[in-house]
Amino acid sequence: MQTNLEASGMIEFFKVLPNLFSGGVYLTDPKSGQILFSNDFFKNNLGCKKEGKDCLESDLLTWVSIEDKESFQDLILSPNKLSDRDLISGDFRFQMPNETLVRWFQFEKRKVNIPGMDFTLHIVFVRDVTNEKTNEINIVEQIQFFLGLFENASVGMALQDWEGGYFRINPRFTEITGYSFQNLTDLNIKRIKGEPISEEEMEYFSFFKEGAEESRLTRKDGRRINVYRRISAFRNSQGKPDFYYVFLDDVTEKKQSESYQLHSQKMETIGSLATNIAHDLNNYLQPIHVFSQLGKEQITSGKFNQYQVLDYLEKIRMGADNARSMIHRIIHYSKSKNEHSVSKIDISSVVESTIPLLVAGLPKYVEAQFEFYKSPLFTKVDAVQFSKILCELTSGGILVWDDRKRGLVQIQTLPSDDVRLLVSLEFSGLSLPSLSELTTLDLVNFSDEDFQWTGIHLINRYVKNWGGEFYLDKPDPMTLKVFIYLPLEEALPVANLYPSNREPKPVDVWSEISRKKIWIVEDDEAASEAIGFVLSQKQIKPKIFSTSTLALNQLNEEIPDFILSDYRLKEMSGLVLIRKIKQTNPNLPAVLYTGNMDGLDAEELSKEGILVRSKPISVDELYESILLSFGFL
């Protein structure tokens, strides 16, 4: 037989075969069971150890585990198994000498016809599949363990195939969702057939990425619930998911409780804020009420001092301006969406308008005191962000208050020198970290990873971006001082660009304007009446429209020379209205005024010939806006 093999070229074939196949290969005679040839892999792992004797295929049975001996003998050692088929394969466990762990080998036996030989040989390919089988065993063990906990789990559990269909759910899953396994099966069949099912039902078959999430889910009875859902995958030996298991927990009650607590906290904060705002508004309204009453009494009596009445009116105007400034600041603060807008502003007015917000955020056992410089201190900052910085420094989020004693924060504005202003905050009653070796707190000593001081670093960056400096000082163990230095700008306040005692404009200017077609669009009757009265003092008789539609209809008869419109109108915004009219008169000067400038880019609108003004618009601002629009300023 050896001669026939050599003559057939099989020996050369077996010499080349190991380079083509990484596992073991051996050739056997099915009649005698003799192994005629084997490669090195087979010899090193399963080869015959007999000396001077021929190796038999049946010798392999010595190392086959007891559990697989019968199947190995039936499949691999039976000479008649290949009589009716070309391939026999199977996986078998081997317990090798001097090895404690079981090894798995995969056998594939095929028929081989050798030229010049009148009988058939068998060639067997052997692969070591221990790793793959071990993984499979581990997966099976995991599944068995999983199924052991599955039915009695306190959370909803379900198994899904890779397309989202369910093939097992536990009782808790049914309790949470209201869907039984049969209900989900029926829905899945409808989904596969393309029959219509609702979006709520599709939520149960959507493909979910692995991970955890909180979401809303619709029960079978239509009730929406909050659920915590975690998706994990069972993966095969190639790392691809065979199926998913879903953990589901109803957290509706928990979310409702959290929502109630959050709502209570918000309401408490809003209540505190509203109280402080009401207190400050009363302070602003007090001079308006008192001096308007005094002025009325003097005028009614027929005996009044003109200068004294003018003084009363000035005090009334100051009270109204203060109230207006505070409301605008609060609206801007609440509507800000991290849109940093640096502008020139009096720092004292920023701090003053922040008082209601700041006091509302302070603990009840902490008092706030304020001292403002008598003259305006102008600098360029983001007013809203600066207000937030003051609130963050005082609220206890960064600098923690000691609730065992009374606290005090003193805030002061003053000029530092000819080029800088200073906003100082002095704290007493804080729960400070151990700083026994430091008197001056250097920002470098606190890393960004230190949670308590991360906010300090952020504030420092904001101040530096505004061209300022930020310092901390600890003069004694019980006191902390915060110094914010900002560049001092030499400029007049925006509200006083056109002071009331300025030289009156030439009469012929207003006379010329009075000949123009002036339109006012305002849906509030009292506001439009007030604006009309103010303009009548300059002999201007405007046309007043209560809706944008009425104004557009009037275009059929005439084209205005100037328009002043409220921004928030019922039918369309004042900005849309102005732009529509500008299609007829592209050079139309216009003023858009609003109580909330959120979303309006005043600089860009000015390029369109549209001035943006805050509501309520003062008399001086109204006159100034008209003069600017017609080019007289």
Side-chain angles (χ1 to χ4, degrees), residues 203-221:
E203 292 176 358
Y204 291 89
F205 303 103
S206 299
F207 178 79
F208 302 108
K209 293 182 179 179
E210 293 182 63
E213 64 174 1
E214 283 194 9
S215 60
R216 297 273 286 171
L217 199 64
T218 305
R219 285 172 45 89
K220 184 183 178 183
D221 57 15

Side-chain angles (χ1 to χ4, degrees), residues 181-246:
F181 175 72
Q182 188 60 49
N183 295 148
L184 292 171
T185 301
D186 293 341
L187 285 176
N188 196 32
I189 292 174
K190 288 184 179 181
R191 178 178 68 99
I192 293 172
K193 289 182 177 180
E195 297 179 12
I197 63 175
S198 67
E199 292 183 4
E200 291 79 8
E201 292 167 336
M202 272 300 295
E203 292 176 358
Y204 291 89
F205 303 103
S206 299
F207 178 79
F208 302 108
K209 293 182 179 179
E210 293 182 63
E213 64 174 1
E214 283 194 9
S215 60
R216 297 273 286 171
L217 199 64
T218 305
R219 285 172 45 89
K220 184 183 178 183
D221 57 15
R223 182 164 60 90
R224 296 283 287 174
I225 58 175
N226 295 93
V227 295
Y228 171 81
R229 178 163 39 195
R230 184 176 184 85
I231 313 293
S232 300
F234 277 124
R235 298 182 178 275
N236 57 27
S237 58
Q238 286 76 40
K240 297 180 180 179
D242 279 336
F243 63 90
Y244 298 89
Y245 57 94
V246 182

Side-chain angles (χ1 to χ4, degrees), residues 69-84:
K69 281 184 182 295
E70 185 177 349
S71 60
F72 185 83
Q73 189 164 7
D74 182 55
L75 286 174
I76 304 301
L77 301 183
S78 175
N80 299 321
K81 281 292 181 179
L82 279 176
S83 61
D84 56 347

